Amino acid sequence: MINEPVFDIAIVGAGASGTVVAAQLRKRTAARIALIGNGTRPARGVAYDTPYQSYLLNVPAWNMSAFPDDTDHFARWLAQHRPQATDKDFAPRTLYGDYLAEILAEALRAPTPITPIAGEVVSVTRAEDHWRLQLTDGTALIARQVILAVGNLPPNDPPGFSADLPGYWSNPWAADVATNLAPDAPVLIIGTGLTMVDVVLALRERGHRGPIAALSHHGRLYQVHASFTPRPLTLLIADSPQRALRWLRTEIERAQRGGNNWRAVIDSLRPHTATIWRSWSLAQRAAFLRHARNLWDIHRHRVPPQVGAQLDDLIAQGTLSIHAGRILSAEATPHGLRVNWRPKDSAIFQYFDVARVINCTGPNRDYGRVTTPLITSLREAGWLTPDPLKLGWVTDDDGRLIDAWGNPVAGLFTIGPLRIADLWESIAMPEIRVQAAALAELLVTELQAEPVMV
Ligand SMILES: Cc1cc2nc3c(=O)[nH]c(=O)nc-3n(C[C@H](O)[C@H](O)[C@H](O)COP(=O)(O)OP(=O)(O)OC[C@H]3O[C@@H](n4cnc5c(N)ncnc54)[C@H](O)[C@@H]3O)c2cc1C
């Protein structure tokens, strides 16, 4: 421990969550804070660090503030940087990355600056009254409290695929996902959700004009944002997923009869989702995931109207085709890859011959099987309990990790996408900003209550 720098709080991960919680802490305390990130451009994380201008936010500007007590913060920033923009706009994600970078720069400049550290944390171990964080370069640091803001992992590989298969892009967020490709080359995208939408736009942005096939188990497509009259939630009996879905159906019919649309009902649930989710048993949550997860995701996470229109055009022209079915295997060919698959409700096997396959099946949240050094070390030490439904980590009401023996771990917290298992609604900025403020408040209170470490 000699010569290892000592901090009160260490934040691991300098994406959106790490940045926003750092800013919230800096507002409240002069404590010694380290922010450790392994990304090339801090603050942006996987969502907002992209070279593609066509990647838009899927939340309008009015709801993308980083601060829950100043909900117009991003809309004002946007108006300064794009005078023609309105708060209803879906801004480019790269621009939102600039916004986060400014927030981080301010936190790093504050009278008591936060210490930025570039590197990857490979283990977090407990030693008496503090945590020791080990980095890949062999250095280490000490902290009294740790926030693991390590966010979204790339998807798992589908059957028959591995990262070393030529022509296969296992990480859809890689900057080169749409480059070095002949303009007319056929492409297969695995997944038909929002990441598929992004990748199609990226390919078009880089001049690709060839056929694109998108395949998922169900072949269901995005829904688009459209205006609606907000309606406060009046009565909800949701002690089981079945009752909740029945309620949804009735309310949607009622909204539509009154001239409103289903979006009003889905969005009215947002402040109540965590309460409903937490009231369900593990078996009920599993049933919801089995029967309704995909439908929920599509209706809850919608695309901007202009993006929907672009994709609709590509489908109408035949450039983009959507398929439902299951992948069976993949093999390298002289021109790329052959992917064997079976269409849904069919016994006849088919194949795609393509130059590139891009995995857009969604972030991997199966932490029982993740093998990155940090996650492996936390799991093996028993500090991290993977959620049995493969949704992230088991945490308490404050985002504190629950260990393998079912106890909350003092001084070890997480935020954002890693809390889905407990909250269900926990990936987007409107939730992250609230969690960041609450966590900062809690940590400052806990630090004040503890004796100062030497
Ligand atoms: C493609 C995409 C688009 C999205 N679009 C929107 C949107 O429009 N609106 C919205 O509200 N939400 C959106 N989201 C949701 C998104 O989860 C949040 O908005 C937010 O970006 C989450 O940030 P994060 O910091 O928690 O995670 P991440 O962005 O994943 O950042 C985590 C960071 O931690 C780093 N890290 C991980 N492990 C270590 C380690 N061991 N040591 C050091 N550093 C480490 C990673 O490299 C990364 O930089 C989107 C998500 C994705 C994936």
Side-chain angles (χ1 to χ4, degrees), residues 391-437:
L391 293 177
W393 305 354
V394 181
T395 52
D396 75 3
D397 291 359
D398 298 318
R400 209 176 270 106
L401 270 62
I402 300 287
D403 69 18
W405 301 273
N407 305 309
V409 185
L412 200 53
F413 298 87
T414 190
I415 179 168
L418 285 321
R419 294 186 64 190
I420 296 177
D422 180 40
L423 301 170
W424 182 241
E425 188 84 75
S426 186
I427 55 169
M429 198 43 83
E431 282 73 36
I432 290 172
R433 66 183 175 217
V434 174
Q435 291 178 22

Side-chain angles (χ1 to χ4, degrees), residues 377-395:
S377 95
L378 287 166
R379 194 178 53 221
E380 287 180 353
W383 299 123
L384 184 160
T385 307
D387 170 58
L389 299 177
K390 303 179 183 169
L391 293 177
W393 305 354
V394 181
T395 52

Side-chain angles (χ1 to χ4, degrees), residues 44-362:
R44 292 171 165 83
V46 295
Y48 313 113
D49 190 3
T50 169
Y52 300 106
Q53 288 295 327
S54 48
Y55 285 10
L56 301 184
L57 295 174
N58 55 24
V59 177
W62 65 263
N63 205 14
M64 280 299 287
S65 168
F67 303 106
D69 55 353
D70 183 4
T71 49
D72 292 335
H73 191 261
F74 176 62
R76 286 200 308 279
W77 184 95
L78 183 64
Q80 276 168 14
H81 291 77
R82 293 261 169 111
Q84 72 284 14
T86 77
D87 67 352
K88 295 187 181 56
D89 285 1
F90 298 88
R93 292 216 297 270
T94 170
L95 194 63
Y96 192 76
D98 295 345
Y99 166 71
L100 291 171
E102 265 189 44
I103 292 173
L104 179 59
E106 204 167 303
L108 298 181
R109 264 198 314 267
T112 321
I114 289 176
T115 307
I117 298 175
E120 179 176 337
V121 174
V122 287
S123 69
V124 176
T125 46
R126 186 80 187 156
E128 296 166 16
D129 60 350
H130 60 264
W131 296 97
R132 184 168 184 275
L133 287 73
Q134 177 81 48
L135 276 75
T136 18
D137 63 4
T139 61
L141 58 97
I142 304 298
R144 295 164 70 191
Q145 294 171 322
V146 178
I147 302 172
L148 298 164
V150 293
N152 295 294
L153 285 175
N156 264 330
D157 293 323
F161 287 88
S162 60
D164 54 1
L165 196 60
Y168 169 57
W169 262 244
S170 58
N171 180 354
W173 309 316
D176 62 356
V177 73
T179 59
N180 299 321
L181 183 68
D184 56 352
V187 173
L188 171 66
I189 297 177
I190 308 175
T192 55
L194 297 189
T195 312
M196 176 280 285
V197 171
D198 274 352
V199 168
V200 170
L201 296 179
L203 288 164
R204 302 298 289 178
E205 190 179 315
R206 289 292 184 270
H208 180 261
R209 295 293 177 263
I212 306 171
L215 169 72
S216 66
H217 291 165
H218 41 73
R220 285 196 197 109
L221 274 179
Y222 49 83
Q223 292 282 349
V224 294
H225 282 285
S227 58
F228 59 81
T229 314
R231 62 186 276 300
L233 186 62
T234 43
L235 176 70
L236 174 65
I237 303 165
D239 53 1
S240 75
Q242 290 81 354
R243 285 176 80 118
L245 293 172
R246 263 202 305 277
W247 177 90
L248 261 183
R249 208 168 297 131
T250 314
E251 288 299 307
I252 285 170
E253 281 162 13
R254 189 174 298 160
Q256 280 167 337
R257 275 200 305 276
N260 210 344
N261 67 50
W262 56 265
R263 296 168 186 84
V265 180
I266 298 285
D267 286 22
S268 75
L269 268 176
R270 194 163 180 172
H272 308 280
T273 319
T275 314
I276 297 167
W277 178 254
R278 283 172 162 177
S279 75
W280 293 347
S281 67
L282 209 58
Q284 287 176 318
R285 292 178 190 184
F288 172 82
L289 295 175
R290 214 166 33 249
H291 299 295
R293 179 185 199 163
N294 181 254
L295 279 171
W296 172 262
D297 283 348
I298 286 171
H299 290 87
R300 168 64 193 81
H301 304 286
R302 309 185 283 269
V303 302
Q306 64 270 44
V307 168
Q310 265 176 286
L311 272 277
D312 288 352
D313 278 353
L314 292 174
I315 293 170
Q317 291 158 17
T319 307
L320 173 63
S321 58
I322 308 295
H323 307 267
R326 280 186 185 271
I327 288 180
L328 304 170
S329 62
E331 65 213 72
T333 65
H335 306 292
L337 284 156
R338 171 165 291 188
V339 179
N340 300 299
W341 68 290
R342 189 159 65 87
K344 193 176 170 202
D345 306 324
S346 165
I348 300 166
F349 295 175
Q350 298 195 15
Y351 60 84
F352 293 108
D353 275 334
V354 290
R356 182 168 295 181
V357 176
I358 304 165
N359 182 2
C360 294
T361 53

